[in-house]
Amino acid sequence: MTYTTAQIEERFAFAVDLAREAGAVAMGYFADLDSLDVTSKGPQDVVSQADVQTEMLIRSRLAERFPNDAFFGEETGPQGIDGAEGIWVVDPIDGTQPFLMGMATWCISIAFVAGGATRVGVVFSPPANELFAAREGHGATLNGRAIHVRDATSLSDGVVTLGYSTRTPVEEILLVMERLLRGGGMFARNGSGALGLCYVACGRFIGYVEPHINSWDCLAALLLITEAGGRTNDFLAGDALHTGNAVVAGPPALYPALAALMP
Ligand code: LIP
């Protein structure tokens, strides 16, 4: 199935409303963290029923509205994605650790991928009531106002946000940090790849680098960056939808310096 412009527009509008609905559900759990059962998925990788229930809501709403679209969520996995033309790629709570620690750096990330490219990206930060949205070819917005990456040309022009997980060796992120600091830069890590990437799209950070990130964490925000005038690596090259990939993103003039930070 090849999606028409009208069908992409319809999915964009639905994703914006759905992100807000899911955000309200997640905020209900956020207000009652003591009630959650937290389980480990591995070192520094946790999950609770907040993630699962929020994803189940998103998944059911999309299945009801767009029954022929496939779904790929962090917590419930793939559904009908083999050979599918259109796939919803969802992280119901990106920044699970900050969420469970009662911190505000978490969000809902919803991307729609068709023909091998991200066509719709919506990231909603309920604690900040900030909704980042982009439709391919139509720019990026924060709460309805156009956003643009920072016009940075040097690592010393601001802060680069880094992502790290135990999916990659410690030596890799230490090398990234050393190169960044020796290059006159500074790092931050907020625990949410999607939110960190959105902050690049609106100019709060001047770049994002992570040796490995999953597709559901970043696809929506990567579209926001390119629609906000930024440049990213070809994240979906190969089988990155399933396997994840490294991510480098930032203003075009700074992109070579950001890419040079990678091992
Ligand atoms: C997070 C990513 C982040 C990464 C964290 C974690 P989660 O996703 O958004 O980029 O550095 O380790 O994987 O697990 O909070 O959905």
Side-chain angles (χ1 to χ4, degrees), residues 88-102:
W88 293 92
V89 185
V90 172
D91 190 341
I93 297 177
D94 186 55
T96 300
Q97 271 194 322
F99 175 93
L100 292 172
M101 298 303 118

PDB file of all heavy atoms in Angstrom, residues 88-102:
ATOM      1  N   TRP A  88       3.882   1.814  12.472  1.00  0.00           N
ATOM      2  CA  TRP A  88       3.960   2.740  13.604  1.00  0.00           C
ATOM      3  C   TRP A  88       5.068   2.244  14.524  1.00  0.00           C
ATOM      4  O   TRP A  88       5.050   1.073  14.942  1.00  0.00           O
ATOM      5  CB  TRP A  88       2.634   2.809  14.341  1.00  0.00           C
ATOM      6  CG  TRP A  88       1.537   3.429  13.546  1.00  0.00           C
ATOM      7  CD1 TRP A  88       0.627   2.789  12.741  1.00  0.00           C
ATOM      8  CD2 TRP A  88       1.229   4.823  13.470  1.00  0.00           C
ATOM      9  NE1 TRP A  88      -0.225   3.703  12.175  1.00  0.00           N
ATOM     10  CE2 TRP A  88       0.127   4.960  12.609  1.00  0.00           C
ATOM     11  CE3 TRP A  88       1.783   5.965  14.059  1.00  0.00           C
ATOM     12  CZ2 TRP A  88      -0.452   6.210  12.313  1.00  0.00           C
ATOM     13  CZ3 TRP A  88       1.214   7.214  13.779  1.00  0.00           C
ATOM     14  CH2 TRP A  88       0.119   7.325  12.900  1.00  0.00           C
ATOM     15  N   VAL A  89       6.029   3.110  14.839  1.00  0.00           N
ATOM     16  CA  VAL A  89       7.157   2.744  15.702  1.00  0.00           C
ATOM     17  C   VAL A  89       7.054   3.604  16.958  1.00  0.00           C
ATOM     18  O   VAL A  89       7.118   4.835  16.883  1.00  0.00           O
ATOM     19  CB  VAL A  89       8.499   2.968  15.004  1.00  0.00           C
ATOM     20  CG1 VAL A  89       9.655   2.470  15.875  1.00  0.00           C
ATOM     21  CG2 VAL A  89       8.522   2.235  13.649  1.00  0.00           C
ATOM     22  N   VAL A  90       6.851   2.931  18.101  1.00  0.00           N
ATOM     23  CA  VAL A  90       6.394   3.638  19.306  1.00  0.00           C
ATOM     24  C   VAL A  90       7.227   3.304  20.539  1.00  0.00           C
ATOM     25  O   VAL A  90       7.521   2.133  20.818  1.00  0.00           O
ATOM     26  CB  VAL A  90       4.921   3.277  19.586  1.00  0.00           C
ATOM     27  CG1 VAL A  90       4.447   3.820  20.926  1.00  0.00           C
ATOM     28  CG2 VAL A  90       4.029   3.794  18.458  1.00  0.00           C
ATOM     29  N   ASP A  91       7.622   4.339  21.278  1.00  0.00           N
ATOM     30  CA  ASP A  91       8.128   4.166  22.636  1.00  0.00           C
ATOM     31  C   ASP A  91       7.132   4.848  23.553  1.00  0.00           C
ATOM     32  O   ASP A  91       7.026   6.077  23.546  1.00  0.00           O
ATOM     33  CB  ASP A  91       9.518   4.785  22.787  1.00  0.00           C
ATOM     34  CG  ASP A  91      10.156   4.395  24.125  1.00  0.00           C
ATOM     35  OD1 ASP A  91       9.417   3.983  25.045  1.00  0.00           O
ATOM     36  OD2 ASP A  91      11.389   4.515  24.261  1.00  0.00           O
ATOM     37  N   PRO A  92       6.412   4.094  24.362  1.00  0.00           N
ATOM     38  CA  PRO A  92       5.347   4.693  25.156  1.00  0.00           C
ATOM     39  C   PRO A  92       5.832   5.626  26.256  1.00  0.00           C
ATOM     40  O   PRO A  92       5.183   6.611  26.581  1.00  0.00           O
ATOM     41  CB  PRO A  92       4.617   3.478  25.744  1.00  0.00           C
ATOM     42  CG  PRO A  92       5.675   2.416  25.806  1.00  0.00           C
ATOM     43  CD  PRO A  92       6.527   2.641  24.591  1.00  0.00           C
ATOM     44  N   ILE A  93       6.978   5.283  26.837  1.00  0.00           N
ATOM     45  CA  ILE A  93       7.641   6.172  27.797  1.00  0.00           C
ATOM     46  C   ILE A  93       9.135   6.094  27.499  1.00  0.00           C
ATOM     47  O   ILE A  93       9.804   5.140  27.903  1.00  0.00           O
ATOM     48  CB  ILE A  93       7.344   5.795  29.262  1.00  0.00           C
ATOM     49  CG1 ILE A  93       5.856   5.939  29.568  1.00  0.00           C
ATOM     50  CG2 ILE A  93       8.183   6.673  30.214  1.00  0.00           C
ATOM     51  CD1 ILE A  93       5.449   5.530  30.974  1.00  0.00           C
ATOM     52  N   ASP A  94       9.645   7.101  26.788  1.00  0.00           N
ATOM     53  CA  ASP A  94      11.090   7.146  26.547  1.00  0.00           C
ATOM     54  C   ASP A  94      11.698   7.996  27.654  1.00  0.00           C
ATOM     55  O   ASP A  94      11.254   9.113  27.905  1.00  0.00           O
ATOM     56  CB  ASP A  94      11.385   7.747  25.179  1.00  0.00           C
ATOM     57  CG  ASP A  94      12.868   7.655  24.878  1.00  0.00           C
ATOM     58  OD1 ASP A  94      13.416   6.542  24.930  1.00  0.00           O
ATOM     59  OD2 ASP A  94      13.503   8.703  24.646  1.00  0.00           O
ATOM     60  N   GLY A  95      12.710   7.408  28.316  1.00  0.00           N
ATOM     61  CA  GLY A  95      13.219   8.024  29.537  1.00  0.00           C
ATOM     62  C   GLY A  95      12.600   7.313  30.734  1.00  0.00           C
ATOM     63  O   GLY A  95      12.201   7.931  31.710  1.00  0.00           O
ATOM     64  N   THR A  96      12.566   5.981  30.629  1.00  0.00           N
ATOM     65  CA  THR A  96      11.908   5.202  31.680  1.00  0.00           C
ATOM     66  C   THR A  96      12.577   5.383  33.034  1.00  0.00           C
ATOM     67  O   THR A  96      11.902   5.507  34.063  1.00  0.00           O
ATOM     68  CB  THR A  96      11.895   3.705  31.309  1.00  0.00           C
ATOM     69  OG1 THR A  96      11.181   3.534  30.079  1.00  0.00           O
ATOM     70  CG2 THR A  96      11.219   2.882  32.378  1.00  0.00           C
ATOM     71  N   GLN A  97      13.922   5.418  33.018  1.00  0.00           N
ATOM     72  CA  GLN A  97      14.616   5.627  34.307  1.00  0.00           C
ATOM     73  C   GLN A  97      14.273   6.979  34.939  1.00  0.00           C
ATOM     74  O   GLN A  97      13.881   7.031  36.103  1.00  0.00           O
ATOM     75  CB  GLN A  97      16.131   5.481  34.122  1.00  0.00           C
ATOM     76  CG  GLN A  97      16.631   4.053  34.290  1.00  0.00           C
ATOM     77  CD  GLN A  97      18.141   3.987  34.446  1.00  0.00           C
ATOM     78  OE1 GLN A  97      18.882   4.724  33.803  1.00  0.00           O
ATOM     79  NE2 GLN A  97      18.609   3.079  35.286  1.00  0.00           N
ATOM     80  N   PRO A  98      14.407   8.101  34.204  1.00  0.00           N
ATOM     81  CA  PRO A  98      13.989   9.377  34.811  1.00  0.00           C
ATOM     82  C   PRO A  98      12.537   9.323  35.284  1.00  0.00           C
ATOM     83  O   PRO A  98      12.217   9.812  36.366  1.00  0.00           O
ATOM     84  CB  PRO A  98      14.176  10.384  33.674  1.00  0.00           C
ATOM     85  CG  PRO A  98      15.193   9.780  32.764  1.00  0.00           C
ATOM     86  CD  PRO A  98      15.011   8.309  32.867  1.00  0.00           C
ATOM     87  N   PHE A  99      11.656   8.704  34.487  1.00  0.00           N
ATOM     88  CA  PHE A  99      10.237   8.602  34.853  1.00  0.00           C
ATOM     89  C   PHE A  99      10.099   7.934  36.216  1.00  0.00           C
ATOM     90  O   PHE A  99       9.450   8.464  37.123  1.00  0.00           O
ATOM     91  CB  PHE A  99       9.505   7.799  33.781  1.00  0.00           C
ATOM     92  CG  PHE A  99       8.050   7.512  34.061  1.00  0.00           C
ATOM     93  CD1 PHE A  99       7.054   8.357  33.592  1.00  0.00           C
ATOM     94  CD2 PHE A  99       7.669   6.392  34.791  1.00  0.00           C
ATOM     95  CE1 PHE A  99       5.711   8.108  33.845  1.00  0.00           C
ATOM     96  CE2 PHE A  99       6.330   6.131  35.050  1.00  0.00           C
ATOM     97  CZ  PHE A  99       5.349   6.983  34.573  1.00  0.00           C
ATOM     98  N   LEU A 100      10.747   6.795  36.381  1.00  0.00           N
ATOM     99  CA  LEU A 100      10.597   6.031  37.619  1.00  0.00           C
ATOM    100  C   LEU A 100      11.289   6.688  38.809  1.00  0.00           C
ATOM    101  O   LEU A 100      10.962   6.392  39.955  1.00  0.00           O
ATOM    102  CB  LEU A 100      11.114   4.606  37.413  1.00  0.00           C
ATOM    103  CG  LEU A 100      10.268   3.756  36.462  1.00  0.00           C
ATOM    104  CD1 LEU A 100      10.961   2.434  36.181  1.00  0.00           C
ATOM    105  CD2 LEU A 100       8.870   3.516  37.042  1.00  0.00           C
ATOM    106  N   MET A 101      12.254   7.582  38.514  1.00  0.00           N
ATOM    107  CA  MET A 101      12.932   8.307  39.597  1.00  0.00           C
ATOM    108  C   MET A 101      12.214   9.613  39.932  1.00  0.00           C
ATOM    109  O   MET A 101      12.717  10.426  40.721  1.00  0.00           O
ATOM    110  CB  MET A 101      14.384   8.616  39.185  1.00  0.00           C
ATOM    111  CG  MET A 101      15.250   7.370  38.938  1.00  0.00           C
ATOM    112  SD  MET A 101      15.316   6.274  40.351  1.00  0.00           S
ATOM    113  CE  MET A 101      14.558   4.795  39.664  1.00  0.00           C
ATOM    114  N   GLY A 102      11.073   9.854  39.239  1.00  0.00           N
ATOM    115  CA  GLY A 102      10.310  11.074  39.526  1.00  0.00           C
ATOM    116  C   GLY A 102      10.850  12.320  38.866  1.00  0.00           C
ATOM    117  O   GLY A 102      10.531  13.450  39.279  1.00  0.00           O
TER     118      GLY A 102
END
